[in-house]
Amino acid sequence: MGEEHFVEKEKMEEKLEEVSKIHFVLIHGISGGGWCWYKIKSLMEISGYKVTCLDLKGAGIHPHDPTTIISFDDYNQPLINFLSSLPQNEQVILVGHSAGGLSVTDATHKFPKKVRMAVYIGATMLRNGFVTEQDVKDGIPDLSDFGEAIDVYDMCFGLGPEQPPTSAVIKTSLQRKIIYQMSPLEDSTLAAMLLRPGPIQALASARFKEGEGAEEVPRIYIRTAYDRVVKPKQQDEMIKKWPPKNVYTLETDHSPFFSAPLLLFGLLIKAASIGEVQY
């Protein structure tokens, strides 16, 4: 009995050591911030995983004014800086939600050897960014079901009132209806207090030059079946055009980190185990 207990303890310690080497980097969508992952971060850390929740430029508690950000490279710089600072032999699992998928793809092209796996959650997944009209149709939310743009968004005009808006955020009165319709009320209330205008011009300018080795990075897509932002049809078109290694579906709204955190956590851990087989 004593020997069996020792063997089991040794196996558990080995497993915990393996888990502690897995590093998730969670990337928020437009208007969000690292704060939106608070449930997932808690579940991961209590299970022994390493987790980083970044704020992109002008998002979360990042001090920059998002209205002045007009290039995607500028917006995504915090993620690029983070990956640049990693030791050469360290790999991370990048997880992008919504527009955060653009950040994940950009980083994968630039640092393929540092990305163990790329995971997209109800996210924009375009190999080269917004190159064609179809890319725009597939990857940019169409919220016309909820009214004209002026009725749906609060917009900011960083380049002057005669120029297109540089940033926007969904009106507080519509946020729960569009983004969080299946999420707990306390989470949509928190989001309403923390969402910031997102740099829409910068995101629309996202275009990527394919990096050597980027196609070797495994990709996982997690569909959000009742998504009113990146609609299921859009998700399916992007999956069809650039097929990932695996596709999973969550029966959730656009924000499964609020509406189904345990299920999302389980899928992310499952994805990580697939990554172990890959490498």
Side-chain angles (χ1 to χ4, degrees):
M1 183 70 178
E3 185 176 341
E4 288 179 3
H5 177 73
F6 177 78
V7 170
E8 286 300 319
K9 184 180 178 183
E10 194 174 56
K11 286 181 179 178
M12 186 174 293
E13 288 175 350
E14 288 176 0
K15 183 64 177 176
L16 287 172
E17 187 177 350
E18 288 175 15
V19 164
S20 68
K21 292 178 181 176
I22 298 176
H23 185 178
F24 289 90
V25 179
L26 311 182
I27 310 299
H28 61 82
I30 187 170
S31 295
W35 57 267
C36 70
W37 300 103
Y38 79 94
K39 290 182 177 181
I40 302 301
K41 180 177 170 67
S42 298
L43 289 167
M44 285 183 168
E45 288 184 338
I46 203 169
S47 302
Y49 296 94
K50 186 175 181 180
V51 191
T52 298
C53 301
L54 288 178
D55 286 328
L56 298 177
K57 194 167 185 178
I61 60 171
H62 191 284
H64 206 84
D65 179 0
T67 301
T68 65
I69 301 169
I70 58 174
S71 85
F72 182 79
D73 285 344
D74 193 22
Y75 175 63
N76 206 33
Q77 199 60 50
L79 175 58
I80 300 308
N81 290 345
F82 174 82
L83 291 173
S84 297
S85 71
L86 288 177
Q88 204 60 38
N89 61 345
E90 185 174 341
Q91 288 187 316
V92 298
I93 296 176
L94 293 181
V95 181
H97 171 248
S98 195
L102 294 165
S103 296
V104 168
T105 302
D106 180 42
T108 302
H109 283 309
K110 291 175 177 172
F111 297 95
K113 292 183 179 179
K114 291 187 176 182
V115 181
R116 174 177 177 166
M117 171 171 285
V119 182
Y120 298 79
I121 304 170
T124 302
M125 184 179 69
L126 300 168
R127 187 199 303 258
N128 300 114
F130 297 114
V131 178
T132 68
E133 288 185 12
Q134 190 62 44
D135 291 332
V136 172
K137 184 177 179 181
D138 294 340
I140 291 183
D142 174 11
L143 303 184
S144 58
D145 291 348
F146 301 96
E148 299 293 328
I150 194 171
D151 299 319
V152 175
Y153 294 101
D154 287 323
M155 294 178 279
C156 302
F157 298 83
L159 298 177
E162 303 303 317
Q163 298 297 319
T166 52
S167 67
V169 62
I170 293 175
K171 289 180 180 292
T172 304
S173 60
L174 291 174
Q175 287 170 5
R176 179 163 180 81
K177 185 176 184 179
I178 296 174
I179 317 172
Y180 309 114
Q181 80 271 16
M182 298 172 71
S183 298
L185 180 59
E186 57 266 34
D187 288 322
S188 61
T189 301
L190 174 68
M193 298 168 69
L194 296 177
L195 289 177
R196 296 175 65 182
I200 53 175
Q201 262 199 43
L203 286 162
S205 73
R207 289 171 181 77
F208 316 125
K209 182 179 179 181
E210 284 196 45
E212 185 177 348
E215 280 296 330
E216 296 173 16
V217 176
R219 284 175 295 109
I220 303 290
Y221 199 98
I222 299 177
R223 297 174 68 257
T224 39
Y226 297 101
D227 200 321
R228 294 175 178 174
V229 180
V230 183
K231 297 181 175 67
K233 184 178 179 181
Q234 292 176 289
Q235 297 178 39
D236 291 341
E237 285 297 320
M238 290 186 286
I239 289 167
K240 182 180 176 182
K241 192 156 51 176
W242 194 26
K245 182 179 178 69
N246 288 90
V247 178
Y248 304 111
T249 298
L250 287 173
E251 304 290 322
T252 68
D253 56 16
H254 186 59
S255 306
F257 40 73
F258 289 160
S259 55
L262 286 172
L263 291 175
L264 177 57
F265 168 69
L267 285 183
L268 292 174
I269 301 312
K270 184 176 183 179
S273 68
I274 293 171
E276 288 175 344
V277 174
Q278 182 73 18
Y279 286 92

